[in-house]
Amino acid sequence: MGKQDIQWGIAPIGWRNDDIPEIGKANTLSHLLSDIVVAGFEGTEVGGFFPDAETLKKEIELRNLKIAGQWFSSFIVRDGIEKASEAFHKHCTYLKKVNAAVAVVSEQTYSIQGLAQNVFANKPTFSDEEWKQLTNGLHVLGKIANSYGLKLVYHHHLGTVVQTLEEVDRLMENTNPAMVHLLYDTGHIYASDKEYMPLLEKHIDRIKHVHFKDIRDNVMQTSKENGTSFQSAFLAGMFTVPGDGGIDFKKVFDKLQEHNYCGWIVVEAEQDPEIAHPLEYAIMARKYIDENILN
Ligand SMILES: O=C1C[C@@H](O)[C@H](O)[C@@H](O)C1=O
Ligand SMILES: [Co+2]
């Protein structure tokens, strides 16, 4: 398989942030989708502010864009798999209507990503019993995703119970590859473990969706020293688009290519749109991809 088997998208998060809906709320869906076309991307992921499936389908078809997937916060341990499954059926129904490829899942029980807590020092953990609940529950959600023609891709994330490579190892060891796949987010694993290649190399067989998120090392260092929350860290500019930070995306891409990765690579860099102009950064990302990764 070649570079043509990869679709390049950019997430809405640079324009409007689901974790802090106030941020960028003046940016409409039309504005976002037209910017994505101008920047030269093929698609995006569903944002929390997106409309019903029929309206979205019309807007993306008018612009010849595609939908890669959407984030789903699961609370399997807090609420039980029955409640999580009910919500996930709704999620997958919507994604099927817009012809998405993946359902992004992140277990949010005990998560501190949305709290004013030091995200680098206070990450939550699960007991052995809770790990069992999580992995059993993900098999149920994975079967649901499969029944809609979607892949469940698990998002390791700062401030959650699956953040570090060690925790991703445990998740992968205890889940069935036919039901639970992995989303590889370069920025999250780099901010967590100070390295991003081991996770890619170790679990590349399970990786079916990719977020290209760069890190400004100086801001990450300051955020760690100050013990800031996840939201304060990204508002301070810890995340940025590929080519603007410290991650070697050519090395990442070459590994994916070597392994015949086939699927979406979505640029995703939550920043304050008042500080980091979303279209300017989208164009910067596209230019970096074309000139440094694809040529
Ligand atoms: O994929 C993601 C979705 C966002 O809501 C999340 O907070 C962000 O960090 C991310 O990587
Ligand atoms: Co991500």
Side-chain angles (χ1 to χ4, degrees), residues 12 17 54 100 103-104 115 117 124 128 141 170 212 217 241 250:
N17 190 301
E54 288 318 308
V104 177
L115 304 181
Q117 285 190 30
D128 288 345
L141 299 189
R170 182 167 183 173
F212 266 16
D217 289 297
V241 296
K250 176 75 173 138

Side-chain angles (χ1 to χ4, degrees), residues 98-140:
V98 296
N99 303 311
V102 299
V104 177
V105 173
S106 173
E107 176 67 11
Q108 292 293 303
T109 302
Y110 310 146
S111 168
I112 60 166
Q113 73 177 75
L115 304 181
Q117 285 190 30
N118 177 344
V119 75
F120 302 98
N122 300 339
K123 76 168 289 308
T125 54
F126 267 177
S127 65
D128 288 345
E129 177 49 37
E130 289 169 328
W131 264 103
K132 200 91 194 92
Q133 267 186 280
L134 173 64
T135 52
N136 288 341
L138 288 173
H139 287 141
V140 174

Side-chain angles (χ1 to χ4, degrees), residues 71 155 183 185 188 211 213 268:
W71 170 282
H155 195 314
L183 181 154
D185 184 306
H188 277 282
H211 283 173
K213 191 195 298 279
E268 179 187 60

Side-chain angles (χ1 to χ4, degrees), residues 16-25:
R16 281 180 69 161
N17 190 301
D18 285 351
D19 295 324
I20 313 177
E22 279 306 298
I23 288 186
K25 69 177 183 181

Side-chain angles (χ1 to χ4, degrees), residues 1-283:
M1 299 197 214
K3 293 175 182 170
Q4 68 283 1
D5 297 301
I6 288 172
Q7 291 177 285
W8 292 92
I10 188 164
I13 207 164
W15 285 261
R16 281 180 69 161
N17 190 301
D18 285 351
D19 295 324
I20 313 177
E22 279 306 298
I23 288 186
K25 69 177 183 181
N27 293 327
T28 64
L29 179 73
S30 298
H31 169 175
L32 163 72
L33 296 180
S34 297
D35 273 1
I36 291 171
V37 173
V38 167
F41 288 95
E42 299 165 70
T44 186
E45 293 187 3
V46 177
F49 65 98
F50 278 31
D52 63 276
E54 288 318 308
T55 305
L56 177 59
K57 266 186 79 179
K58 177 167 182 168
E59 292 297 325
I60 56 173
E61 285 165 2
L62 284 169
R63 298 169 175 84
N64 193 29
L65 290 175
K66 295 188 186 72
I67 296 293
Q70 182 181 12
W71 170 282
F72 177 81
S73 293
S74 63
F75 291 91
I76 295 168
V77 172
R78 187 191 71 183
D79 297 340
I81 189 55
E82 292 70 29
K83 195 170 173 191
S85 298
E86 197 181 318
F88 197 58
H89 269 290
K90 288 196 185 92
H91 186 81
C92 292
T93 301
Y94 182 98
L95 289 180
K96 183 173 172 65
K97 284 180 182 169
V98 296
N99 303 311
V102 299
V104 177
V105 173
S106 173
E107 176 67 11
Q108 292 293 303
T109 302
Y110 310 146
S111 168
I112 60 166
Q113 73 177 75
L115 304 181
Q117 285 190 30
N118 177 344
V119 75
F120 302 98
N122 300 339
K123 76 168 289 308
T125 54
F126 267 177
S127 65
D128 288 345
E129 177 49 37
E130 289 169 328
W131 264 103
K132 200 91 194 92
Q133 267 186 280
L134 173 64
T135 52
N136 288 341
L138 288 173
H139 287 141
V140 174
L141 299 189
K143 278 186 195 142
I144 292 171
N146 289 345
S147 72
Y148 288 87
L150 297 161
K151 283 191 174 70
L152 185 159
V153 287
Y154 195 92
H155 195 314
H156 54 91
H157 196 290
L158 276 176
T160 70
V161 288
V162 182
Q163 169 187 309
T164 64
L165 173 55
E166 194 183 343
E167 290 162 340
V168 173
D169 288 347
R170 182 167 183 173
L171 183 71
M172 294 294 106
E173 280 154 22
N174 291 284
T175 52
N176 180 336
M179 293 174 232
V180 180
H181 309 282
L182 185 60
L183 181 154
Y184 170 60
D185 184 306
T186 53
H188 277 282
I189 195 63
Y190 184 42
S192 170
D193 290 12
K194 300 186 189 67
E195 50 185 0
Y196 49 87
M197 289 306 291
L199 190 155
L200 175 62
E201 289 156 353
K202 201 165 180 181
H203 298 296
I204 192 152
D205 288 328
R206 303 288 293 271
I207 293 171
K208 304 298 180 195
H209 198 60
V210 176
H211 283 173
F212 266 16
K213 191 195 298 279
D214 210 346
I215 292 265
R216 294 186 178 97
D217 289 297
N218 59 326
V219 179
M220 178 168 68
Q221 192 50 39
T222 310
S223 299
K224 287 186 174 178
E225 285 161 5
N226 298 341
T228 62
S229 68
F230 174 69
Q231 293 183 0
S232 302
F234 78 67
L235 288 174
M238 181 168 78
F239 296 135
T240 186
V241 296
D244 190 39
I247 291 175
D248 180 347
F249 285 91
K250 176 75 173 138
K251 193 172 167 188
V252 171
F253 182 77
D254 287 350
K255 184 70 189 169
L256 289 164
Q257 184 93 49
E258 179 193 307
H259 198 77
N260 294 318
Y261 171 75
C262 173
W264 283 92
I265 296 180
V266 177
V267 168
E268 179 187 60
E270 53 261 63
Q271 304 187 71
D272 183 343
E274 293 301 311
I275 299 170
H277 188 291
L279 178 55
E280 180 185 355
Y281 273 82
I283 291 168

